[in-house]
Amino acid sequence: MTSQETLYTYTLRLADNALVLGQRLSEWTGHGPFLEEDLALTNIALDTFGTATSLLEYAAKVENKNRDADALAYRRNEREFCNILLVEQTNGDYAKTILRQSFIDAFNILLYTELAKSKDETLAGIAQKAIKEVSYHFRHTSSWVVRFGDGTEESHNKIQDALNELWRFTGELFEMDEVEEALVKQGIAVDAKSFQAKWETQLDELFAKATLKKPETSFMQTGGRKGLHTEHLGYMLSEMQTLPRMLPDAKW
Amino acid sequence: MSDSQGPIWEVFVQKKAGQPFVHCGSLHAFDKEMALQNARDLYTRRNEGMSLWVVPSAAITASSPEDIGSFFEPANDKVYRHPTFYQIPDAIGHM
Amino acid sequence: MENKNFEDVFEAKLVKNDMIEAKDWMPENYRKHLIRQISQHAHSEIVGMLPEGNWITRAPSLRAKKVLLAKVQDEGGHGLYLYTAAETLGTSRDELLDALHTGKAKYSSIFNYPTLTWADIGAIGWLVDGAAIMNQVMLQRTSYGPYARAMVRICKEESFHQRQGYEIMTHLSFGTKEQKEMAQDALNRWWFPTLMMFGPPDSESPNSENAIKWRIKRETNDQLRQRFVDQTVAQIEYLGLTLPDKGLKWNETKKGYDYSEPNWVEFKNVISGNGPCNKERLAARNASHKNGEWVRAAATAYAKKNAEPFMAA
């Protein structure tokens, strides 16, 4: 892999995480549990699409193959998407959506704090802007995790179920391969392993406050970063990409 | 009034440091942290402010329309509280 | 003071163009009329999130997706501002939502039409929001203070909605053959339902007279409808699209367009539950409300456990 390809892949992985998560979040708009929360989650979706757009634009520029951000979002196939599995999981109930989001928010704060120091100025710039956004997201989602965990028996059970279901997808957040390793050496990418312990401590504290129990299993699902997804992604993309695929010559 | 949507809160926004907090609307929230977050997500989506107050509606005591006469009209004839009441020689200029 | 005196004060305020505030005395019919109108308006915003929301996951570009999300989010905010304005009149959001969910309350008939193609999103922003804005601009000066203040905020936020709709229509109308057909098809389907949004003709509008007397409304349905038609014809011409009304003709005497009346029988049917999507819209609202029940219960329970002393009820 050339260094250009490495940077492209790294940026695209970050971008796809944001894009796919944003798409999932936007499914809630108009269907939230009450009005105020509907607007709040949509704000998170908008921030996430904003980051996705910046990252996709940069990926397109790095790739330099006459594809723009929209082409990357709308004209790639399922196997070419390299987001982690966690973000493509279906929304489920509100507890599952909130818990998934809190995993990613806590991760993103650590990720973007490090990425803001990247030698790649574009990535550093995107990260600097995103830190403020994701810090607020975590404030929002973590407060809901506690409300659910320490709310009613029903809400406690729902978020505990969500935790049992989603925990197996969290390992992938910290995976590193030759792409990241090469870029870490150049001071461009972030070594996610370096803050894995911190992330776990933060979540343990959150789970304690929310009276939740982390699943015993340490087995982790993987594959998304290499284009091996769960069955959910295909449906999401066929919906998302329908218009540009239907009218390939049209501009929107 | 409390209902399944949570109590009502009143939201006050300060546009810039140094300016007064101005009432901008209401919302529902179940606790104060949520009220603050909801106020942020609802009332500052277009850079409307940089500081927020949220107050449970129920905590506000308001004057009544019937009070208008006894509360506010007695101030009408206290013209000596206003600078224009006083004559200053032209030669002094602005004071 | 007797009621008569209260009424004199109220009438005098209307004459002077003063605002009525929540704690002021008001005739019971005025209060009822306001609760009905404001809540219908709020319901329209909330139900209105659904037809547009239908395309959020299929918006054809990243930019279009963000714009649509922000717009649908605004509609939710507007519903919220309006519900809280109605609540100052002594009702609750629970009560208002219950009326919506059980089909007792009405909302704008337009949202019972389906959004079949992406061009419908353009047509809604351009025509439906365009029509709504005419009404809303007028309502900024409505006689009830909390309603007027909500409308000022709403109008400020709405200002991008119509523009984004027209922008979509521009892209489509000057795009490929299929896109242009899509645009024309959307115009054909949305034109008459949009004209219906202003309500029945003045001669048949049961609530108009009081609304004007109380300065809740300041212009009649027909006046607003005429202004909308006059303003929109040139916008259609610019797009190179054809207005689906053979009766449209410039009338030099009234310096405005003559146009065909929409099908008022259809209007009455859609309003009373027989539109193409009435059942789906209500089902969707009911589903989110019901799915949110345990969320709200959890928040209530948590707040109770962690109540601040000043909040103890």
Side-chain angles (χ1 to χ4, degrees):
Chain A
M1 232 188 247
T2 66
S3 67
Q4 180 202 18
E5 283 165 348
T6 321
L7 182 59
Y8 168 72
T9 306
Y10 182 65
T11 309
L12 200 60
R13 283 173 178 174
L14 296 174
D16 283 349
N17 282 346
L19 176 64
V20 171
L21 183 63
Q23 179 75 2
R24 277 289 181 235
L25 290 174
S26 71
E27 291 171 13
W28 273 107
T29 301
H31 306 280
F34 56 99
L35 262 179
E36 283 82 354
E37 186 56 23
D38 196 313
L39 273 88
L41 199 74
T42 303
N43 267 351
I44 298 183
L46 278 166
D47 286 342
T48 309
F49 276 125
T51 309
T53 307
S54 306
L55 287 166
L56 284 170
E57 277 165 359
Y58 187 49
K61 196 175 149 211
V62 172
E63 188 195 34
N64 200 17
K65 282 191 183 157
N66 223 0
R67 292 203 284 185
D68 61 9
D70 278 329
L72 289 178
Y74 288 92
R75 308 290 174 103
R76 279 180 302 143
N77 296 328
E78 188 188 342
R79 295 278 280 106
E80 297 167 280
F81 269 74
C82 45
N83 57 280
I84 58 171
L85 303 177
L86 179 63
V87 293
E88 72 198 37
Q89 297 311 300
T90 52
N91 285 335
D93 60 23
Y94 209 64
K96 186 174 162 192
T97 297
I98 284 289
L99 188 72
R100 179 187 61 199
Q101 190 63 32
S102 73
F103 288 166
I104 295 171
D105 294 339
F107 175 83
N108 276 344
I109 294 173
L110 299 166
L111 169 80
Y112 290 137
T113 304
E114 288 307 309
L115 193 62
K117 303 174 209 157
S118 169
K119 288 207 175 118
D120 184 300
E121 278 176 26
T122 308
L123 288 179
I126 294 170
Q128 267 152 22
K129 179 173 174 291
I131 290 172
K132 294 177 193 138
E133 296 171 349
V134 298
S135 304
Y136 181 76
H137 300 172
F138 189 61
R139 179 166 173 171
H140 187 77
T141 52
S142 62
S143 65
W144 272 110
V145 169
V146 176
R147 282 187 200 104
F148 287 154
D150 194 20
T152 62
E153 193 186 336
E154 185 181 9
S155 69
H156 177 88
N157 292 342
K158 279 188 196 296
I159 197 156
Q160 183 64 57
D161 286 350
L163 177 53
N164 299 344
E165 183 186 343
L166 290 176
W167 188 251
R168 66 199 156 112
F169 296 113
T170 56
E172 208 180 5
L173 282 165
F174 302 96
E175 267 178 26
M176 304 269 291
D177 65 11
E178 67 283 359
V179 171
E180 279 85 8
E181 276 154 15
L183 290 173
V184 166
K185 278 192 201 124
Q186 298 169 47
I188 291 173
V190 169
D191 178 0
K193 286 253 185 297
S194 70
F195 53 72
Q196 182 165 12
K198 200 167 173 189
W199 181 84
E200 280 177 13
T201 311
Q202 283 178 354
L203 282 187
D204 285 342
E205 284 166 12
L206 180 62
F207 296 153
K209 254 206 228 161
T211 67
L212 294 174
K213 227 174 130 244
K214 206 161 70 180
E216 300 289 331
T217 168
S218 58
F219 183 80
M220 290 290 168
Q221 297 290 340
T222 178
R225 288 154 35 92
K226 302 248 186 247
L228 293 166
H229 293 276
T230 53
E231 288 175 346
H232 307 299
L233 185 69
Y235 289 98
M236 174 196 274
L237 293 183
S238 56
E239 185 176 340
M240 184 175 97
Q241 297 177 337
T242 173
L243 275 173
R245 299 276 196 183
M246 198 193 301
L247 299 174
D249 301 325
K251 288 200 172 56
W252 308 94
Chain B
M1 191 186 307
S2 177
D3 58 16
S4 88
Q5 302 275 328
I8 300 180
W9 302 67
E10 302 302 327
V11 180
F12 299 81
V13 175
Q14 185 187 40
K15 208 174 164 143
K16 275 193 238 158
Q19 292 190 352
F21 283 73
V22 178
H23 182 247
C24 69
S26 330
L27 51 78
H28 284 256
F30 294 85
D31 55 56
K32 58 183 183 174
E33 171 65 17
M34 196 193 297
L36 202 55
Q37 291 182 14
N38 289 350
R40 180 259 191 197
D41 283 323
L42 262 169
Y43 288 107
T44 64
R45 299 204 303 285
R46 288 173 167 82
N47 302 102
E48 288 96 335
M50 54 169 299
S51 189
L52 279 170
W53 288 348
V54 288
V55 184
S57 251
I60 292 181
T61 310
S63 65
S64 301
E66 298 88 78
D67 295 334
I68 289 178
S70 61
F71 266 48
F72 309 114
E73 280 173 21
N76 285 351
D77 65 352
K78 313 293 191 293
V79 280
Y80 42 79
R81 287 196 176 116
H82 300 279
T84 46
F85 181 70
Y86 302 92
Q87 304 271 324
I88 298 293
D90 287 347
I92 298 299
H94 180 76
M95 181 182 273
Chain C
M1 262 197 287
E2 291 167 33
N3 250 14
K4 186 75 196 129
N5 284 345
F6 281 128
E7 201 158 350
D8 289 344
V9 173
F10 174 80
E11 299 283 347
K13 277 191 182 160
L14 292 185
V15 171
K16 280 197 296 178
N17 260 333
D18 278 355
M19 293 273 179
I20 310 298
E21 290 294 337
K23 295 184 100 186
D24 289 345
W25 183 91
M26 57 187 85
E28 213 31 50
N29 283 337
Y30 175 84
R31 182 187 300 274
K32 272 197 199 136
H33 184 106
L34 275 174
I35 292 180
R36 202 192 64 237
Q37 181 173 331
I38 299 173
S39 61
Q40 277 182 14
H41 195 161
H43 298 328
S44 302
E45 299 279 357
I46 302 309
V47 177
M49 296 171 85
L50 298 169
E52 290 181 281
N54 185 35
W55 280 88
I56 287 175
T57 56
R58 293 177 291 169
S61 72
L62 293 163
R63 181 177 186 272
K65 195 182 284 291
K66 283 183 281 190
V67 169
L68 185 57
L69 260 180
K71 178 174 187 287
V72 176
Q73 182 193 42
D74 273 352
E75 315 291 4
H78 299 168
L80 197 150
Y81 306 153
L82 289 163
Y83 282 130
T84 54
E87 282 175 286
T88 62
L89 291 158
T91 177
S92 70
R93 194 191 285 178
D94 264 348
E95 252 176 319
L96 298 171
L97 287 178
D98 188 59
L100 172 67
H101 295 151
T102 53
K104 265 186 268 166
K106 295 202 169 20
Y107 54 86
S108 182
S109 58
I110 195 85
F111 300 119
N112 290 315
Y113 291 88
T115 49
L116 302 178
T117 72
W118 174 248
D120 291 15
I121 300 307
I124 288 185
W126 167 41
L127 298 174
V128 175
D129 286 342
I133 288 166
M134 301 229 131
N135 213 7
Q136 289 170 342
V137 165
M138 169 188 75
L139 287 171
Q140 291 182 95
R141 295 179 299 131
T142 190
S143 60
Y144 186 56
Y147 191 20
R149 290 194 286 276
M151 290 318 305
V152 169
R153 195 172 182 95
I154 289 172
C155 284
K156 216 187 271 172
E157 297 189 356
E158 282 271 349
S159 55
F160 92 81
H161 294 185
Q162 192 183 13
R163 291 171 66 105
Q164 68 84 31
Y166 197 68
E167 189 189 88
I168 292 177
M169 294 306 280
T170 317
H171 288 160
L172 296 176
S173 301
F174 298 104
T176 66
K177 185 172 152 286
E178 292 91 341
Q179 283 177 304
K180 187 162 186 180
E181 283 168 6
M182 207 188 264
Q184 181 66 55
D185 169 60
L187 174 59
N188 294 348
R189 282 181 291 112
W190 290 93
W191 175 254
F192 283 112
T194 303
L195 292 190
M196 293 178 196
M197 284 175 67
F198 296 98
D202 295 347
S203 53
E204 291 166 37
S205 177
N207 299 313
S208 265
E209 203 181 314
N210 274 341
I212 298 272
K213 185 183 87 188
W214 288 325
R215 308 196 82 93
I216 293 175
K217 281 185 78 161
R218 290 173 173 248
E219 287 173 278
T220 68
N221 297 352
D222 285 334
Q223 284 169 335
L224 291 167
R225 186 162 24 238
Q226 181 70 51
R227 178 140 19 98
F228 175 78
V229 172
D230 291 345
Q231 156 190 305
T232 310
V233 170
Q235 295 166 0
I236 295 173
E237 281 167 359
Y238 175 83
L239 295 174
L241 300 179
T242 312
L243 195 100
D245 177 6
K246 295 231 170 2
L248 188 93
K249 217 175 76 205
W250 177 254
N251 180 330
E252 187 56 33
T253 330
K254 74 171 182 190
K255 298 274 178 223
Y257 286 93
D258 290 332
Y259 57 89
S260 308
E261 288 288 319
N263 181 343
W264 292 114
V265 176
E266 175 182 320
F267 174 75
K268 279 185 191 130
N269 263 296
V270 177
I271 278 280
S272 54
N274 298 323
C277 297
N278 295 55
K279 295 205 166 44
E280 288 83 350
R281 300 293 182 242
L282 271 195
R285 281 307 322 151
N286 271 299
S288 6
H289 187 71
K290 200 163 176 299
N291 291 336
E293 214 165 73
W294 69 267
V295 176
R296 299 190 299 272
T300 306
Y302 180 78
K304 217 172 210 172
K305 283 187 221 174
N306 298 277
E308 297 292 324
F310 72 85
M311 284 183 65

PDB file of all heavy atoms in Angstrom, chain A residues 38-60:
ATOM      1  N   ASP A  38     -36.444  14.246  20.424  1.00  0.00           N
ATOM      2  CA  ASP A  38     -36.389  14.085  18.976  1.00  0.00           C
ATOM      3  C   ASP A  38     -35.426  15.122  18.384  1.00  0.00           C
ATOM      4  O   ASP A  38     -34.552  14.810  17.566  1.00  0.00           O
ATOM      5  CB  ASP A  38     -37.809  14.277  18.411  1.00  0.00           C
ATOM      6  CG  ASP A  38     -37.978  13.768  17.000  1.00  0.00           C
ATOM      7  OD1 ASP A  38     -37.113  14.077  16.157  1.00  0.00           O
ATOM      8  OD2 ASP A  38     -38.957  13.070  16.715  1.00  0.00           O
ATOM      9  N   LEU A  39     -35.573  16.348  18.850  1.00  0.00           N
ATOM     10  CA  LEU A  39     -34.703  17.404  18.351  1.00  0.00           C
ATOM     11  C   LEU A  39     -33.263  17.206  18.798  1.00  0.00           C
ATOM     12  O   LEU A  39     -32.327  17.476  18.052  1.00  0.00           O
ATOM     13  CB  LEU A  39     -35.201  18.766  18.835  1.00  0.00           C
ATOM     14  CG  LEU A  39     -36.253  19.408  17.936  1.00  0.00           C
ATOM     15  CD1 LEU A  39     -37.647  18.987  18.312  1.00  0.00           C
ATOM     16  CD2 LEU A  39     -36.122  20.910  17.963  1.00  0.00           C
ATOM     17  N   ALA A  40     -33.096  16.728  20.030  1.00  0.00           N
ATOM     18  CA  ALA A  40     -31.751  16.547  20.567  1.00  0.00           C
ATOM     19  C   ALA A  40     -30.995  15.486  19.770  1.00  0.00           C
ATOM     20  O   ALA A  40     -29.837  15.680  19.388  1.00  0.00           O
ATOM     21  CB  ALA A  40     -31.827  16.145  22.038  1.00  0.00           C
ATOM     22  N   LEU A  41     -31.645  14.375  19.481  1.00  0.00           N
ATOM     23  CA  LEU A  41     -30.962  13.308  18.749  1.00  0.00           C
ATOM     24  C   LEU A  41     -30.680  13.744  17.311  1.00  0.00           C
ATOM     25  O   LEU A  41     -29.648  13.391  16.728  1.00  0.00           O
ATOM     26  CB  LEU A  41     -31.781  12.012  18.774  1.00  0.00           C
ATOM     27  CG  LEU A  41     -30.930  10.788  18.433  1.00  0.00           C
ATOM     28  CD1 LEU A  41     -30.013  10.432  19.605  1.00  0.00           C
ATOM     29  CD2 LEU A  41     -31.772   9.581  18.070  1.00  0.00           C
ATOM     30  N   THR A  42     -31.594  14.528  16.748  1.00  0.00           N
ATOM     31  CA  THR A  42     -31.360  15.025  15.395  1.00  0.00           C
ATOM     32  C   THR A  42     -30.146  15.953  15.365  1.00  0.00           C
ATOM     33  O   THR A  42     -29.380  15.954  14.396  1.00  0.00           O
ATOM     34  CB  THR A  42     -32.615  15.745  14.867  1.00  0.00           C
ATOM     35  OG1 THR A  42     -33.721  14.841  14.918  1.00  0.00           O
ATOM     36  CG2 THR A  42     -32.421  16.210  13.438  1.00  0.00           C
ATOM     37  N   ASN A  43     -29.952  16.724  16.436  1.00  0.00           N
ATOM     38  CA  ASN A  43     -28.741  17.548  16.503  1.00  0.00           C
ATOM     39  C   ASN A  43     -27.489  16.677  16.451  1.00  0.00           C
ATOM     40  O   ASN A  43     -26.505  17.017  15.786  1.00  0.00           O
ATOM     41  CB  ASN A  43     -28.731  18.358  17.803  1.00  0.00           C
ATOM     42  CG  ASN A  43     -29.334  19.739  17.611  1.00  0.00           C
ATOM     43  OD1 ASN A  43     -29.613  20.147  16.486  1.00  0.00           O
ATOM     44  ND2 ASN A  43     -29.522  20.451  18.698  1.00  0.00           N
ATOM     45  N   ILE A  44     -27.526  15.558  17.155  1.00  0.00           N
ATOM     46  CA  ILE A  44     -26.369  14.658  17.148  1.00  0.00           C
ATOM     47  C   ILE A  44     -26.178  14.092  15.735  1.00  0.00           C
ATOM     48  O   ILE A  44     -25.052  14.010  15.230  1.00  0.00           O
ATOM     49  CB  ILE A  44     -26.552  13.533  18.190  1.00  0.00           C
ATOM     50  CG1 ILE A  44     -26.654  14.150  19.596  1.00  0.00           C
ATOM     51  CG2 ILE A  44     -25.411  12.531  18.111  1.00  0.00           C
ATOM     52  CD1 ILE A  44     -26.765  13.133  20.728  1.00  0.00           C
ATOM     53  N   ALA A  45     -27.286  13.745  15.091  1.00  0.00           N
ATOM     54  CA  ALA A  45     -27.194  13.224  13.719  1.00  0.00           C
ATOM     55  C   ALA A  45     -26.568  14.266  12.797  1.00  0.00           C
ATOM     56  O   ALA A  45     -25.711  13.954  11.964  1.00  0.00           O
ATOM     57  CB  ALA A  45     -28.583  12.831  13.217  1.00  0.00           C
ATOM     58  N   LEU A  46     -26.986  15.521  12.955  1.00  0.00           N
ATOM     59  CA  LEU A  46     -26.469  16.577  12.078  1.00  0.00           C
ATOM     60  C   LEU A  46     -24.971  16.784  12.281  1.00  0.00           C
ATOM     61  O   LEU A  46     -24.216  16.920  11.313  1.00  0.00           O
ATOM     62  CB  LEU A  46     -27.226  17.880  12.342  1.00  0.00           C
ATOM     63  CG  LEU A  46     -28.570  17.983  11.619  1.00  0.00           C
ATOM     64  CD1 LEU A  46     -29.408  19.126  12.173  1.00  0.00           C
ATOM     65  CD2 LEU A  46     -28.364  18.171  10.111  1.00  0.00           C
ATOM     66  N   ASP A  47     -24.536  16.797  13.546  1.00  0.00           N
ATOM     67  CA  ASP A  47     -23.099  16.910  13.815  1.00  0.00           C
ATOM     68  C   ASP A  47     -22.354  15.754  13.147  1.00  0.00           C
ATOM     69  O   ASP A  47     -21.281  15.935  12.561  1.00  0.00           O
ATOM     70  CB  ASP A  47     -22.832  16.839  15.326  1.00  0.00           C
ATOM     71  CG  ASP A  47     -23.226  18.126  16.050  1.00  0.00           C
ATOM     72  OD1 ASP A  47     -23.385  19.167  15.386  1.00  0.00           O
ATOM     73  OD2 ASP A  47     -23.373  18.079  17.285  1.00  0.00           O
ATOM     74  N   THR A  48     -22.923  14.569  13.272  1.00  0.00           N
ATOM     75  CA  THR A  48     -22.258  13.370  12.771  1.00  0.00           C
ATOM     76  C   THR A  48     -22.145  13.406  11.243  1.00  0.00           C
ATOM     77  O   THR A  48     -21.105  13.055  10.681  1.00  0.00           O
ATOM     78  CB  THR A  48     -23.024  12.115  13.249  1.00  0.00           C
ATOM     79  OG1 THR A  48     -23.215  12.225  14.658  1.00  0.00           O
ATOM     80  CG2 THR A  48     -22.261  10.856  12.951  1.00  0.00           C
ATOM     81  N   PHE A  49     -23.219  13.833  10.580  1.00  0.00           N
ATOM     82  CA  PHE A  49     -23.142  13.973   9.119  1.00  0.00           C
ATOM     83  C   PHE A  49     -22.144  15.067   8.721  1.00  0.00           C
ATOM     84  O   PHE A  49     -21.494  14.969   7.675  1.00  0.00           O
ATOM     85  CB  PHE A  49     -24.514  14.319   8.529  1.00  0.00           C
ATOM     86  CG  PHE A  49     -25.378  13.113   8.296  1.00  0.00           C
ATOM     87  CD1 PHE A  49     -26.634  13.033   8.833  1.00  0.00           C
ATOM     88  CD2 PHE A  49     -24.916  12.045   7.519  1.00  0.00           C
ATOM     89  CE1 PHE A  49     -27.445  11.920   8.621  1.00  0.00           C
ATOM     90  CE2 PHE A  49     -25.713  10.933   7.307  1.00  0.00           C
ATOM     91  CZ  PHE A  49     -26.976  10.872   7.861  1.00  0.00           C
ATOM     92  N   GLY A  50     -22.054  16.090   9.548  1.00  0.00           N
ATOM     93  CA  GLY A  50     -21.085  17.154   9.265  1.00  0.00           C
ATOM     94  C   GLY A  50     -19.667  16.596   9.261  1.00  0.00           C
ATOM     95  O   GLY A  50     -18.882  16.843   8.335  1.00  0.00           O
ATOM     96  N   THR A  51     -19.341  15.823  10.284  1.00  0.00           N
ATOM     97  CA  THR A  51     -18.016  15.208  10.361  1.00  0.00           C
ATOM     98  C   THR A  51     -17.825  14.233   9.202  1.00  0.00           C
ATOM     99  O   THR A  51     -16.761  14.205   8.572  1.00  0.00           O
ATOM    100  CB  THR A  51     -17.866  14.445  11.696  1.00  0.00           C
ATOM    101  OG1 THR A  51     -18.224  15.321  12.758  1.00  0.00           O
ATOM    102  CG2 THR A  51     -16.448  13.963  11.891  1.00  0.00           C
ATOM    103  N   ALA A  52     -18.854  13.446   8.917  1.00  0.00           N
ATOM    104  CA  ALA A  52     -18.765  12.479   7.815  1.00  0.00           C
ATOM    105  C   ALA A  52     -18.443  13.203   6.503  1.00  0.00           C
ATOM    106  O   ALA A  52     -17.584  12.765   5.733  1.00  0.00           O
ATOM    107  CB  ALA A  52     -20.078  11.706   7.684  1.00  0.00           C
ATOM    108  N   THR A  53     -19.122  14.314   6.281  1.00  0.00           N
ATOM    109  CA  THR A  53     -18.905  15.053   5.035  1.00  0.00           C
ATOM    110  C   THR A  53     -17.461  15.537   4.938  1.00  0.00           C
ATOM    111  O   THR A  53     -16.799  15.356   3.908  1.00  0.00           O
ATOM    112  CB  THR A  53     -19.875  16.249   4.955  1.00  0.00           C
ATOM    113  OG1 THR A  53     -21.207  15.779   5.166  1.00  0.00           O
ATOM    114  CG2 THR A  53     -19.791  16.924   3.603  1.00  0.00           C
ATOM    115  N   SER A  54     -16.971  16.147   6.018  1.00  0.00           N
ATOM    116  CA  SER A  54     -15.589  16.654   5.982  1.00  0.00           C
ATOM    117  C   SER A  54     -14.600  15.519   5.725  1.00  0.00           C
ATOM    118  O   SER A  54     -13.653  15.671   4.944  1.00  0.00           O
ATOM    119  CB  SER A  54     -15.221  17.310   7.316  1.00  0.00           C
ATOM    120  OG  SER A  54     -16.148  18.287   7.643  1.00  0.00           O
ATOM    121  N   LEU A  55     -14.818  14.392   6.384  1.00  0.00           N
ATOM    122  CA  LEU A  55     -13.892  13.270   6.227  1.00  0.00           C
ATOM    123  C   LEU A  55     -13.986  12.676   4.822  1.00  0.00           C
ATOM    124  O   LEU A  55     -12.966  12.332   4.213  1.00  0.00           O
ATOM    125  CB  LEU A  55     -14.179  12.198   7.286  1.00  0.00           C
ATOM    126  CG  LEU A  55     -13.753  12.555   8.718  1.00  0.00           C
ATOM    127  CD1 LEU A  55     -14.384  11.611   9.732  1.00  0.00           C
ATOM    128  CD2 LEU A  55     -12.220  12.533   8.846  1.00  0.00           C
ATOM    129  N   LEU A  56     -15.189  12.565   4.293  1.00  0.00           N
ATOM    130  CA  LEU A  56     -15.347  12.009   2.945  1.00  0.00           C
ATOM    131  C   LEU A  56     -14.733  12.947   1.897  1.00  0.00           C
ATOM    132  O   LEU A  56     -14.123  12.494   0.930  1.00  0.00           O
ATOM    133  CB  LEU A  56     -16.828  11.766   2.633  1.00  0.00           C
ATOM    134  CG  LEU A  56     -17.460  10.537   3.302  1.00  0.00           C
ATOM    135  CD1 LEU A  56     -18.974  10.544   3.129  1.00  0.00           C
ATOM    136  CD2 LEU A  56     -16.863   9.230   2.746  1.00  0.00           C
ATOM    137  N   GLU A  57     -14.906  14.241   2.117  1.00  0.00           N
ATOM    138  CA  GLU A  57     -14.293  15.191   1.183  1.00  0.00           C
ATOM    139  C   GLU A  57     -12.779  15.022   1.178  1.00  0.00           C
ATOM    140  O   GLU A  57     -12.132  15.041   0.126  1.00  0.00           O
ATOM    141  CB  GLU A  57     -14.659  16.637   1.582  1.00  0.00           C
ATOM    142  CG  GLU A  57     -16.022  17.062   1.047  1.00  0.00           C
ATOM    143  CD  GLU A  57     -16.560  18.323   1.712  1.00  0.00           C
ATOM    144  OE1 GLU A  57     -15.898  18.883   2.610  1.00  0.00           O
ATOM    145  OE2 GLU A  57     -17.686  18.729   1.325  1.00  0.00           O
ATOM    146  N   TYR A  58     -12.236  14.847   2.380  1.00  0.00           N
ATOM    147  CA  TYR A  58     -10.788  14.686   2.462  1.00  0.00           C
ATOM    148  C   TYR A  58     -10.355  13.351   1.852  1.00  0.00           C
ATOM    149  O   TYR A  58      -9.368  13.293   1.104  1.00  0.00           O
ATOM    150  CB  TYR A  58     -10.332  14.795   3.913  1.00  0.00           C
ATOM    151  CG  TYR A  58      -8.829  14.799   4.071  1.00  0.00           C
ATOM    152  CD1 TYR A  58      -8.039  15.639   3.286  1.00  0.00           C
ATOM    153  CD2 TYR A  58      -8.197  13.968   4.983  1.00  0.00           C
ATOM    154  CE1 TYR A  58      -6.654  15.651   3.412  1.00  0.00           C
ATOM    155  CE2 TYR A  58      -6.816  13.970   5.126  1.00  0.00           C
ATOM    156  CZ  TYR A  58      -6.050  14.809   4.334  1.00  0.00           C
ATOM    157  OH  TYR A  58      -4.685  14.809   4.456  1.00  0.00           O
ATOM    158  N   ALA A  59     -11.107  12.304   2.130  1.00  0.00           N
ATOM    159  CA  ALA A  59     -10.780  10.995   1.541  1.00  0.00           C
ATOM    160  C   ALA A  59     -10.783  11.090   0.016  1.00  0.00           C
ATOM    161  O   ALA A  59      -9.890  10.565  -0.657  1.00  0.00           O
ATOM    162  CB  ALA A  59     -11.769   9.941   2.020  1.00  0.00           C
ATOM    163  N   ALA A  60     -11.783  11.776  -0.520  1.00  0.00           N
ATOM    164  CA  ALA A  60     -11.885  11.917  -1.974  1.00  0.00           C
ATOM    165  C   ALA A  60     -10.676  12.666  -2.524  1.00  0.00           C
ATOM    166  O   ALA A  60     -10.129  12.323  -3.576  1.00  0.00           O
ATOM    167  CB  ALA A  60     -13.175  12.650  -2.332  1.00  0.00           C
TER     168      ALA A  60
END
